[in-house]
Amino acid sequence: MPEAIRRTRTRTRTRTRTRTRTHSRTRTRTGAAAVTGVGSRARAAAVAAAERADAATPADRDRSVDALRAFAILGVVLGHWLVTALVADGGTLHTLSPLAHMPWLAPVSWAFQTLAVFFLVGGHVATRSHASARARGTTYGRWLRTRLSRLFKPVAAVLGLWTVAAAGLLLTGADMGTVHALLKLVLSPLWFLLVFAGLTALTPLVTRISPLWPLAVVLHVDLVRFGLGGPPWLGWVNVAAGWLVPFTLGAAWTRGELTRRSGWVLLTGGGVMTAVLVAWGGYPASMVGVPGATISNLDPPTLAAVVFGTAQCGLALLLREPLRRAMRRPVLWAGVAFVNLSAMTIFLWHQTALMSVTATGLLTGRLPGLHTLPDDITWVAFRLIWLPLFALALTVCWAAFHGYEQDHGRARRARRPSRVVRVHRRTAGGKEARRA
């Protein structure tokens, strides 16, 4: 009898364990299926949103222009994140560059110093927009106010927040050097906006200027500065003349003067001239400013930076057709459209994102690639690891402040739907009519 009882209990325990394992596996499979289902629905929703954006885009829009602008903005952001180090030294933060300690990293600046492409696209879009405004009977003053409001309204949010932040840091006893370093990082991108705004205001004149004229000005300024021992302040003439070169190339693009052959000439000629100036002309290899360097190619722009920019413009022109084909994919186009709609927010807040991660990291001590001296390849490896966190912080900034970039068109949209919406509505209306 006891033996029979033991056998019965053993069979019962075996059945219980089997049912438990079966239920556990079932729950695991159910949970995995639920997660997979959520992921699939999220992907499907993203694809559907991308297809709607693709369908709502006017058929005659040159998407390669938007792609080039997006790449230019992202290039500047990644370049700053890679070559800007906020080093913690005692109770202060100061700015250093890995290019000062590792000059062999100069090719990084060749890939990410993409301002010339932005000015190329800016000149093309501004001249085309001005011509369209004139055809509609819009006055120059009204056109210019609309263009500049898109640039400067988002700036107010940055200046307001950092005015309060700087005052708070000083009142709490922060080191003046630290506050100066932070404000310099925040405000340094604004020079670009001032130059871009000035060239935009000159659009009616730019439509008739050959790029050779501002290029000749840059050449003669550098000859006087470096060849004849002229005053250093003369270099600041190149801030306007240097960036006017790609801007006028954009105007030539609008006039239909830049062909594929032009792209090859600019790429080859600009590349050869850059190599000659760096190898034998005494210009630095880095196309961005390096703290402590005798000559900066960017601050103010030198002839080397300008001819390098023409090479970039040539490459951009050659990439137009491949980019048009790539932008036919809804998901890629949706990403490019998002960057263009958020361009000012991304540009103005990317340094704040870097600084917020750096400041937060200080709570746990000096972290490699974030607060340490950028003097070896280990720093570069760790900095690459930090890039996703910079992007996450920038996403938070975008969520908080991208509304300032959208405000400029609210009144106009209240009166009249945008062109994208009108096209989308016409398409939808046509489909409904065909169904009827």
Side-chain angles (χ1 to χ4, degrees):
M1 187 67 179
E3 182 65 26
I5 292 173
R6 276 197 303 273
R7 290 175 181 171
T8 301
R9 289 176 177 173
T10 299
R11 286 195 295 271
T12 302
R13 284 196 295 268
T14 301
R15 291 193 199 99
T16 302
R17 282 196 296 269
T18 301
R19 283 195 297 270
T20 301
R21 292 194 193 101
T22 302
H23 290 326
S24 178
R25 285 195 295 268
T26 301
R27 285 195 299 268
T28 301
R29 285 195 294 268
T30 302
V35 172
T36 303
V38 171
S40 298
R41 287 195 295 272
R43 284 194 297 272
V47 170
E51 290 175 348
R52 286 194 298 271
D54 179 70
T57 303
D60 61 345
R61 187 178 187 89
D62 188 351
R63 301 185 183 192
S64 68
V65 175
D66 300 281
L68 289 171
R69 180 162 43 204
F71 294 153
I73 286 292
L74 295 180
V76 171
V77 170
L78 287 175
H80 282 163
W81 285 352
L82 289 172
V83 302
T84 303
L86 274 171
V87 178
D89 184 9
T92 65
L93 289 173
H94 58 277
T95 307
L96 289 177
S97 171
L99 297 175
H101 299 275
M102 296 174 283
W104 52 270
L105 285 176
V108 172
S109 67
W110 305 345
F112 295 110
Q113 204 288 77
T114 51
L115 286 175
V117 177
F118 195 92
F119 278 98
L120 169 74
V121 174
H124 172 58
V125 172
T127 50
R128 193 175 59 182
S129 170
H130 181 253
S132 177
R134 288 187 62 187
R136 295 193 307 270
T138 303
T139 64
Y140 165 76
R142 182 178 177 184
W143 171 82
L144 184 61
R145 284 193 300 272
T146 302
R147 301 293 298 182
L148 295 186
S149 68
R150 297 174 183 176
L151 289 178
F152 290 113
K153 281 193 175 182
V155 174
V158 177
L159 295 179
L161 183 141
W162 274 100
T163 298
V164 174
L169 288 171
L170 292 174
L171 289 174
T172 55
D175 180 77
M176 179 62 75
T178 297
V179 177
H180 177 266
L182 297 179
L183 288 179
K184 186 176 180 180
L185 284 178
V186 172
L187 299 178
S188 58
L190 298 186
W191 72 262
F192 156 79
L193 294 181
L194 293 174
V195 175
F196 192 82
L199 296 183
T200 300
L202 294 176
T203 295
L205 178 63
V206 166
T207 56
R208 296 185 290 272
I209 292 181
S210 167
L212 293 176
W213 287 108
L215 181 61
V217 172
V218 174
L219 171 63
H220 285 84
V221 165
D222 274 20
L223 282 175
V224 173
R225 285 176 65 203
F226 303 127
L228 303 177
W233 59 261
L234 189 62
W236 294 105
V237 174
N238 285 351
V239 173
W243 298 118
L244 188 58
V245 173
F247 201 85
T248 51
L249 283 172
W253 179 2
T254 302
R255 295 193 300 267
E257 297 175 2
L258 298 184
T259 62
R260 186 170 181 82
R261 181 180 177 184
S262 304
W264 281 114
V265 170
L266 290 170
L267 174 60
T268 306
V272 170
M273 285 301 300
T274 303
V276 169
L277 291 171
V278 170
W280 294 288
Y283 289 89
S286 173
M287 290 300 148
V288 297
V290 179
T294 305
I295 300 175
S296 169
N297 272 326
L298 194 60
D299 190 21
T302 62
L303 180 62
V306 173
V307 295
F308 177 76
T310 62
Q312 288 183 315
C313 291
L315 180 60
L317 294 172
L318 293 173
L319 289 176
R320 285 180 297 177
E321 193 55 41
L323 286 174
R324 289 188 187 111
R325 291 195 296 269
M327 291 302 105
R328 293 171 189 164
R329 300 177 181 178
V331 174
L332 290 179
W333 169 243
V336 165
F338 171 79
V339 173
N340 275 270
L341 291 171
S342 308
M344 286 298 298
T345 305
I346 292 172
F347 180 75
L348 291 171
W349 291 96
H350 72 279
Q351 294 286 50
T352 300
L354 180 149
M355 289 183 281
S356 65
V357 173
T358 302
T360 304
L362 278 174
L363 299 176
T364 61
R366 297 176 77 250
L367 299 174
L370 200 60
H371 312 111
T372 53
L373 194 67
D375 58 354
D376 57 27
I377 192 63
T378 304
W379 184 93
V380 177
F382 277 105
R383 175 49 62 102
L384 293 175
I385 295 173
W386 287 108
L387 291 183
L389 281 180
F390 295 161
L392 179 61
L394 181 56
T395 302
V396 174
C397 292
W398 175 87
F401 298 105
H402 79 281
Y404 289 90
E405 189 167 4
Q406 310 299 324
D407 283 345
H408 70 268
R410 284 182 182 173
R412 183 186 64 200
R413 287 195 297 268
R415 295 191 301 269
R416 181 170 60 94
S418 70
R419 186 183 181 193
V420 170
V421 173
R422 293 200 306 275
V423 170
H424 181 63
R425 287 179 177 175
R426 285 201 300 269
T427 303
K431 290 179 180 178
E432 292 296 332
R434 286 194 294 271
R435 288 197 192 102

